[in-house]
Amino acid sequence: MERNQMHTQVANTRKSLFDQGYLDDQFIQLEELQDSSNPNFVEEVVTLYYRDSARFLSNLDQALEKRPLDFSKLDNLMHQFKGSSTSIGAKKVKTECTHFRNYCSARNAEGCKRTFQNVKKEYTTLRKKLEAYFQMSRQVGPVETACQAR
Amino acid sequence: MCKKLVQMMQGKIWMSTNSQGYIQSTSLVLRFQIQQTFNRPMFDLTNFIDQPKSNSIFRGLQVILADDDGVNRMVTKKLLEKLGCQVTTVSSGFECLSSLGPTMSPFHVVILDLHMPEMDGFEVATRIRKFRSRNRPLIIALTASAEEQVWERCLQVGMNGVIRKPVLLRGLEIELRTVLQRAGERLSS
């Protein structure tokens, strides 16, 4: 009985990540690639994302300190970070990345700096939520939750 | 139109006229590569014409994937493997070119991210097409861009297909199948 409750909890947590707009369809594609030969694929990809993208964020931080701002370089860095974020289905992060790139095109320094704070905020929030979700999933054990309809 | 098709196949077509200016004959010259037998099993592209729906057609397909982003590499590789391909990944244009060198085992398909630092996908494709080797892989670009100029440039440098990022299983499957079918049709005609 308890186990069923835990399963339901995991499924609900997962559903809320989609409902609240943190994740999109790309995440489902990752789940669909997970199978018995790769039971932790989703978590592995997400872990890799957070490890690799730390570099982009610190480069962006540094580039935003320079005077004058090199909008072309900023846009280029963000393009790469956005690509990675898109691949894991990080919906809110992706949205903020797009705002940032729009400000780059408009050469709006204040806009860039403000949006970058939002990017980092969404990035960190998602990380916490995913860590909690993965930990919960691991406790419950291998489940079909990945394939459940939203 | 015939002329354009033949030019795309890198051949020549011309008409000969007689003394009165009437067309007497048409000549067509096409170059074909003699396939060398490698130790790895040959991939029979003509399979693609007869089996439009089966996914087992990707089994044994040797693919090299070049993308500088680790996350994208990991995901795209998994998608390709799910389709049955055998995938080697590299993280730069340079690595890609050295993996395609004359002493290396042949790859059937090269999947290239266009937006790589140091050497972009266009440069890699241009260099691949310059090789006068018997191994002439199919090249498919990966790009986040939907701009027509980008896609046209892909074709200009000799690529065979384009896949829009983020890569989805369905999109990958369809483009791969299309590119292989076209290649199979060229070989059998």
Side-chain angles (χ1 to χ4, degrees):
Chain A
M1 201 53 188
E2 204 185 88
R3 201 170 165 78
N4 277 345
Q5 278 176 347
M6 282 172 82
H7 275 276
T8 309
Q9 219 179 353
V10 172
N12 285 340
T13 305
R14 181 185 168 278
K15 187 172 182 300
S16 74
L17 287 171
F18 286 99
D19 291 343
Q20 288 168 25
Y22 287 102
L23 295 174
D24 63 27
D25 283 347
Q26 273 310 113
F27 190 82
I28 296 178
Q29 175 158 254
L30 295 185
E31 291 177 319
E32 285 172 354
L33 288 171
Q34 189 160 288
D35 56 24
S36 50
S37 62
N38 289 274
N40 300 308
F41 182 70
V42 183
E43 193 175 349
E44 283 168 15
V45 176
V46 171
T47 304
L48 181 65
Y49 166 72
Y50 276 100
R51 200 186 70 202
D52 283 2
S53 58
R55 183 173 36 105
F56 286 124
L57 291 181
S58 84
N59 287 344
L60 277 160
D61 259 324
Q62 281 172 14
L64 281 165
E65 294 296 314
K66 297 220 157 71
R67 297 286 173 276
L69 289 182
D70 182 347
F71 288 107
S72 169
K73 179 173 184 178
L74 286 169
D75 186 68
N76 206 27
L77 285 169
M78 189 47 90
H79 173 94
Q80 296 180 69
F81 175 68
K82 183 183 167 188
S84 247
S85 306
T86 306
S87 290
I88 69 154
K91 192 173 180 181
K92 290 194 189 208
V93 176
K94 187 174 82 166
T95 304
E96 295 302 331
C97 291
T98 305
H99 289 327
F100 183 92
R101 294 192 72 198
N102 290 339
Y103 282 122
C104 282
S105 301
R107 305 182 72 82
N108 183 333
E110 276 316 302
C112 281
K113 284 183 230 163
R114 205 175 46 237
T115 318
F116 187 58
Q117 296 311 311
N118 291 341
V119 169
K120 286 196 285 190
K121 187 177 130 249
E122 292 300 342
Y123 175 82
T124 309
T125 304
L126 180 64
R127 178 188 217 149
K128 292 202 190 99
K129 287 189 179 282
L130 285 174
E131 273 171 4
Y133 169 66
F134 288 134
Q135 193 175 44
M136 205 190 277
S137 304
R138 259 182 270 132
Q139 279 169 356
V140 167
V143 176
E144 316 78 55
T145 48
C147 301
Q148 274 177 14
R150 267 190 275 161
Chain B
M1 180 154 150
C2 290
K3 193 167 181 187
K4 195 151 178 108
L5 282 168
V6 172
Q7 271 171 358
M8 277 167 75
M9 290 171 81
Q10 278 139 33
K12 280 196 175 68
I13 183 167
W14 67 92
M15 317 278 215
S16 329
T17 54
N18 63 15
S19 50
Q20 285 157 328
Y22 287 108
I23 292 175
Q24 197 171 46
S25 66
T26 307
S27 304
L28 174 65
V29 176
L30 289 171
R31 249 182 313 166
F32 290 98
Q33 290 168 340
I34 299 172
Q35 289 282 8
Q36 205 184 46
T37 327
F38 295 105
N39 288 335
R40 292 256 182 97
M42 276 289 288
F43 196 84
D44 190 356
L45 287 171
T46 54
N47 276 341
F48 284 86
I49 308 171
D50 299 329
Q51 295 173 44
K53 287 295 175 194
S54 165
N55 254 5
S56 60
I57 59 173
F58 295 127
R59 216 156 289 287
L61 193 65
Q62 305 288 338
V63 178
I64 183 166
L65 168 67
D67 192 326
D68 64 303
D69 183 272
V71 172
N72 289 341
R73 258 198 322 269
M74 191 171 173
V75 177
T76 308
K77 177 177 181 176
K78 205 97 213 89
L79 289 169
L80 286 163
E81 285 174 344
K82 187 161 187 182
L83 292 174
C85 305
Q86 283 202 277
V87 188
T88 302
T89 56
V90 292
S91 57
S92 73
F94 293 105
E95 269 189 79
C96 185
L97 289 173
S98 24
S99 302
L100 290 168
T103 56
M104 308 292 285
S105 301
F107 286 100
H108 303 114
V109 183
V110 179
I111 300 187
L112 280 176
D113 182 33
L114 286 184
H115 193 263
M116 288 189 286
E118 288 162 14
M119 197 195 294
D120 66 25
F122 295 116
E123 178 70 35
V124 178
T126 305
R127 293 200 197 189
I128 292 174
R129 289 298 178 233
K130 278 209 181 104
F131 290 171
R132 294 218 169 267
S133 74
R134 294 172 190 94
N135 177 24
R136 203 183 147 81
L138 297 168
I139 306 178
I140 302 179
L142 284 177
T143 177
S145 170
E147 284 170 47
E148 207 171 305
Q149 306 129 284
V150 172
W151 292 31
E152 267 171 25
R153 202 177 154 202
C154 288
L155 295 175
Q156 272 165 18
V157 298
M159 296 193 185
N160 303 90
V162 184
I163 297 172
R164 189 106 191 261
K165 286 162 90 166
V167 183
L168 291 170
L169 186 66
R170 195 88 188 101
L172 183 62
E173 185 195 334
I174 290 172
E175 188 64 358
L176 204 49
R177 191 193 298 276
T178 306
V179 165
L180 287 160
Q181 265 173 350
R182 263 191 245 127
E185 279 157 17
R186 276 206 301 271
L187 273 187
S188 71
S189 57

